[in-house]
Amino acid sequence: MPSLTSPMISTPTLPTPDVTSASADPSPVDQQRWQAVQRRDPACDGLFWYSVKSTGVYCKPSCGARTPLRKNVAFHASCAAAEAAGFRPCKRCRPDLPPLQERQAEAIAQACRLIDAAEQAPATVDLAQAVGLSRFHFHRLFKVHTGLTPKAYGDARRAQRLRQQLASRASVTEAFYEAGFNSSGGFYAHRNADLGMKPAAYRHGGRGEKIRFAVAQCWLGALLVAATEQGICAVTLGEDADALVQQLQDRFSQAELAPGDAAFEQTLAQVLAALDDPQRGAALPLDVRGTAFQQRVWRALREIPPGVTLSYAELATRIGQPAAVRAVASACARNEIALLIPCHRIVRQDGSPSGYRWGIERKAALLAREAVARQQPAAASAEPA
């Protein structure tokens, strides 16, 4: 059993009751255990269990039941030891079961498996019943653990299946039925959110789509801007302009890629201007496609002022999903539009730059430049007239 002499519980927050005396409790370790029971310390759950002679039950240290008299309490190294001594598990804290958070996580994982295996997305009430939770409690826990509602998760999985089916099926109609759409009307109503282009075009690497693009050099190296009729669909950075164009061609291998005309050069100029003045790019239309959760993350990124940074945990809290830190990091990594969706403003908890798909050095340079620009107006306003 792990030692109980660590700082975690060595300093009591409540005084030892008068009923506890040296003669009744000569063991320093048991004194520390008793103090943990008084505090209802969840950090000690799994380190020991305590039984109560007057009730015949055993509990976890964090149990919310009324604190028993010290003379009725004994300590045990395991649930098996407590039950061998003749005690039954408390119905309130359920010491014989895994921790509540683990049970909840497993319930949500089971629900995700049910959604993944179903041809048609199960109703929320059916999922909740299958994992033994109420509908509203299940809905809340699902959002906490996955960052999505059950419906949004089901839609995202259906979109993934649709992409797979479009690549392997002989017809679009066959693909959308296999992906889980009930009708052609439901499929076409969601196709833009799921694919970002017409289904036949997606199936053939963007065939029939026209994407304009232009490349320029800037202080970060080569910069490529690409746009559909709806708006900018890519802003990428790199060392080699030809490599950026090749990446665009690989992404949309069958699309009609056309160099931007004079009007598009103005769009390119606005993106370049956003390097020094991020507000210059705020009004540019974007054609971004992703899950509902990714869209929320990307919108939140655009609301971060230049010169301000957040951690992944802070961004997750800002969108109302504090437990979805990994999902937030994944959404940032899938961002295809540098600068205009400023994922470079997300850093580690200690403030240092974390990963950046266009290079950690570029991220550090962007942050440094924005920090200087933010300080300059403040310094100017502080100068005497």
Side-chain angles (χ1 to χ4, degrees):
M1 184 182 71
S3 172
L4 285 175
T5 59
S6 66
M8 177 177 65
I9 62 171
S10 61
T11 303
T13 58
L14 293 174
T16 303
D18 294 337
V19 296
T20 302
S21 63
S23 59
D25 185 15
S27 167
V29 173
D30 278 359
Q31 288 178 357
Q32 294 172 2
R33 289 168 171 165
W34 173 241
Q35 291 161 8
V37 170
Q38 290 178 299
R39 295 195 305 271
R40 296 189 174 95
D41 192 344
C44 293
D45 288 350
L47 298 181
F48 69 90
W49 290 257
Y50 73 93
S51 61
V52 183
K53 182 171 61 175
S54 58
T55 61
V57 302
Y58 72 94
C59 305
K60 298 187 294 187
S62 65
C63 184
R66 185 175 65 180
T67 304
L69 295 176
R70 175 65 185 89
K71 64 181 182 180
N72 293 328
V73 172
F75 301 104
H76 308 275
S78 66
C79 293
E83 292 177 11
F87 296 94
R88 64 184 185 277
C90 170
K91 292 184 178 180
R92 180 165 185 167
C93 67
R94 304 305 302 268
D96 55 330
L97 297 179
L100 178 61
Q101 288 185 342
E102 289 185 17
R103 301 201 303 271
Q104 291 175 343
E106 174 54 32
I108 300 307
Q110 180 184 350
C112 289
R113 290 192 291 268
L114 291 173
I115 295 173
D116 294 344
E119 292 186 3
Q120 302 293 332
T124 299
V125 65
D126 294 334
L127 288 169
Q129 184 176 7
V131 300
L133 297 172
S134 71
R135 176 184 177 184
F136 297 105
H137 188 44
F138 168 74
H139 193 275
R140 183 183 65 81
L141 286 178
F142 198 97
K143 289 185 67 175
V144 167
H145 284 272
T146 69
L148 297 170
T149 65
K151 182 180 184 304
Y153 179 87
D155 288 346
R157 297 295 290 167
R158 182 178 60 181
Q160 183 181 38
R161 290 195 296 269
L162 175 61
R163 293 184 178 94
Q164 295 169 346
Q165 293 297 333
L166 283 170
S168 61
R169 294 292 171 176
S171 71
V172 171
T173 300
E174 184 181 359
F176 71 65
Y177 280 119
E178 288 293 331
F181 288 91
N182 292 322
S183 65
S184 58
F187 164 64
Y188 284 102
H190 291 87
R191 70 183 185 192
N192 285 342
D194 288 343
L195 300 176
M197 61 178 63
K198 295 178 180 179
Y202 184 91
R203 182 166 176 256
H204 297 289
R207 182 181 298 172
E209 291 290 312
K210 183 173 183 178
I211 299 176
R212 297 169 297 161
F213 71 94
V215 182
Q217 292 294 323
C218 65
W219 57 270
L220 287 173
L223 179 146
L224 178 144
V225 178
T228 64
E229 294 180 356
Q230 287 73 37
I232 294 174
C233 62
V235 176
T236 57
L237 300 163
E239 297 295 333
D240 185 356
D242 290 338
L244 295 181
V245 175
Q246 184 62 53
Q247 291 170 10
L248 185 68
Q249 290 175 334
D250 291 343
R251 183 180 173 193
F252 300 110
S253 58
Q254 301 299 317
E256 179 186 348
L257 299 182
D261 53 17
F264 191 76
E265 292 294 330
Q266 294 297 318
T267 300
L268 175 63
Q270 285 183 269
V271 176
L272 290 170
L275 281 168
D276 297 312
D277 181 7
Q279 298 302 325
R280 296 283 298 274
L284 288 170
L286 304 183
D287 183 9
V288 289
R289 306 294 175 177
T291 67
F293 180 79
Q294 289 169 342
Q295 294 279 7
R296 289 173 59 196
V297 172
W298 296 336
R299 282 196 297 270
L301 287 171
R302 300 195 77 188
E303 294 171 358
I304 303 173
V308 175
T309 59
L310 298 177
S311 68
Y312 292 105
E314 289 170 334
L315 183 59
T317 299
R318 182 167 288 198
I319 65 170
Q321 303 292 336
V325 177
R326 289 188 179 181
V328 163
S330 176
C332 290
R334 291 181 177 275
N335 174 31
E336 300 279 355
I337 303 180
L339 308 177
L340 305 183
I341 299 180
C343 56
H344 62 273
R345 294 175 190 157
I346 306 303
V347 297
R348 293 192 180 98
Q349 196 71 36
D350 62 3
S352 61
S354 55
Y356 190 55
R357 70 183 304 168
W358 297 288
I360 192 69
E361 296 82 5
R362 290 188 177 89
K363 180 171 186 172
L366 282 167
L367 291 175
R369 197 178 187 97
E370 289 185 358
V372 170
R374 184 177 176 85
Q375 293 170 358
Q376 286 176 343
S381 64
E383 293 179 359

